[in-house]
Amino acid sequence: MRQYSADLTPPWKKPQPVPEVPAEPGLVVEEPGTGFCGAVIGCEAGTVTLEDRFGKHRVFPLEPRGFLLEGRVVTLVRPSAGPARPTRTASGSVAVPGARARVARAGRIYVEGRHDAELVEKVWGDDLRVEGVVVEYLEGVDDLPSIVSAFGPGPDARLGVLVDHLVPGSKEWRIAESVTSEHALVVGHPYIDVWEAVKPSSVGIAGWPRVPRGQDWKTGVCAALGWRVANTGEAWQRILGSVHSYKDLEPALLGRVEELIDFVTAPA
């Protein structure tokens, strides 16, 4: 006599199997119930601890189908081997071993010049690739309102802009104030040039020289420090080479870049 299964659920309504992924340190996942996204920093019997980009920790149970990995539902399981200590990126975030670059978002971060872009890439490059954020440079902000208008920022394509010397009353301040789109965020640091955002101690100098108004700032800095005045590009490479992590940068720049990354990666 033929035996029939008591389970009459159609196959297309049954939960599909999902991959089991070891909760290795540094693995970045999202807990869909809370939206908390972070890197694995610890895994005990039945629980996993995640750390987000701000250093906040949350503990979640290791439940079946309990997490998202690159947008796919997975079941985290305890690794068979003992956890290794996670490493950090230059920005201080938990490194993600073997992480592939995410497809670039429609949103962008604009910075003023090539030096700004190179500095952001050196410190935040790993984070930007994981988040799929592209950084472009403008060569100045005089035409910023028209540039923002041409970009056409929207809920799914946010635009963040980092401006040098953004202090009340400055030309840069007035230009930034003219950008009114709710999907564009203009922030800045108080330094005349991004060179100043690198800590003098990291460069091996006592402090950044004061350059008289009306004189080219970079040229004046090189002259005061005894560097070759004719080659500010060489000076920049010397400065950039002294930057190894976020610890070599001033907090006034660190906070603004983190703010822009959060803005352009926020859910629509």
Side-chain angles (χ1 to χ4, degrees), residues 46-195:
T47 64
V48 62
T49 303
L50 304 182
E51 180 185 60
D52 71 6
R53 63 183 302 108
F54 302 106
K56 183 178 180 181
H57 294 182
R58 291 281 297 272
V59 179
F60 296 100
L62 287 175
E63 297 180 342
R65 309 172 65 89
F67 296 88
L68 298 177
L69 175 62
E70 297 182 349
R72 298 183 304 159
V73 177
V74 298
T75 296
L76 289 188
V77 295
R78 191 175 183 183
S80 56
R85 184 176 180 178
T87 58
R88 298 275 174 172
T89 66
S91 71
S93 301
V94 176
V96 185
R100 292 178 296 175
R102 179 174 176 170
V103 175
R105 296 173 181 268
R108 292 288 188 272
I109 291 178
Y110 285 170
V111 297
E112 282 207 49
R114 181 171 59 85
H115 293 179
D116 306 67
E118 289 176 348
L119 186 62
V120 169
E121 163 62 27
K122 184 160 188 180
V123 176
W124 287 274
D126 290 337
D127 300 12
L128 294 169
R129 278 180 283 279
V130 168
E131 296 288 355
V133 177
V134 175
V135 175
E136 301 179 9
Y137 62 90
L138 303 171
E139 292 291 3
V141 295
D142 289 349
D143 298 322
L144 184 59
S146 60
I147 291 171
V148 173
S149 178
F151 180 86
D156 296 316
R158 296 188 176 193
L159 178 63
V161 184
L162 179 69
V163 177
D164 298 342
H165 197 230
L166 191 63
V167 295
S170 67
K171 177 191 74 172
E172 292 82 3
W173 180 271
R174 292 191 294 272
I175 292 173
E177 288 287 288
S178 66
V179 176
T180 57
S181 171
E182 64 178 307
H183 305 299
L185 174 66
V186 182
V187 300
H189 55 74
Y191 310 112
I192 294 175
D193 190 274
V194 76
W195 288 20

Side-chain angles (χ1 to χ4, degrees), residues 226-242:
W227 297 350
R228 287 207 302 167
V229 174
N231 195 338
T232 56
E234 179 182 275
W236 169 242
Q237 292 306 313
R238 177 175 182 168
I239 296 166
L240 186 63
S242 69

Side-chain angles (χ1 to χ4, degrees), residues 191 196-200 208 246-255:
Y191 310 112
E196 275 193 301
V198 180
K199 292 180 178 178
W208 290 105
Y246 71 98
K247 297 178 182 179
D248 295 308
L249 303 181
E250 298 287 359
L253 176 66
L254 293 173

